[in-house]
């Protein structure tokens, strides 16, 4: 599986040989913020093997790459559903 690392200078480094996904057959994927750090992580399903969890560590490297907002509403809408600016 090809893999590239963004060097943040307009260039990418080929890190395919460093990835441990050789010999796998993927059949599905899902993404979600599994560690609640503001960036999306990836779960990849494999045929006949356990699934891969690819953790996105971008927020640990660059704390300015996302915005996290917590809304607080009144008694019966604590999550602030329907909030507007």
């Amino acid at each position: 599986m090809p893999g590239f690392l963004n060097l943040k200078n307009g260039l990418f480094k080929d890190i395919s040989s460093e990835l441990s996904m050789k010999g796998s057959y993927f059949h599905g994927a899902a993404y979600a913020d599994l560690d609640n750090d503001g960036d999306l992580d990836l779960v990849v399903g494999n045929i006949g093997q356990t699934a891969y969890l690819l953790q996105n560590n971008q927020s640990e490297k660059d704390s300015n790459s996302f915005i996290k907002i917590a809304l607080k509403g009144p008694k019966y809408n604590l999550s602030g559903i329907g909030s507007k600016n």
Side-chain angles (χ1 to χ4, degrees):
M1 176 177 173
F4 296 91
L5 176 66
N6 185 351
L7 300 176
K8 295 187 178 183
N9 60 358
L11 301 174
F12 291 84
K13 177 184 175 186
D14 185 355
I15 59 168
S16 301
S17 61
E18 300 172 32
L19 298 175
S20 62
M21 294 186 214
K22 298 175 185 168
S24 295
Y25 296 97
F26 309 128
H27 65 84
Y31 56 89
D33 184 9
L34 299 173
D35 51 6
N36 199 27
D37 63 355
D39 52 26
L40 295 176
D41 307 302
L42 184 65
V43 178
V44 180
N46 295 305
I47 296 175
Q49 297 178 355
T50 58
Y52 288 138
L53 171 59
L54 304 173
Q55 184 176 359
N56 184 348
N57 294 324
Q58 183 59 38
S59 64
E60 287 84 16
K61 295 177 181 178
D62 181 8
S63 62
N64 297 321
S65 63
F66 69 95
I67 183 170
K68 188 181 264 189
I69 299 173
L71 300 175
K72 189 172 183 181
K75 183 177 180 181
Y76 295 106
N77 186 11
L78 295 178
S79 297
I81 296 172
S83 297
K84 297 179 182 178
N85 60 359

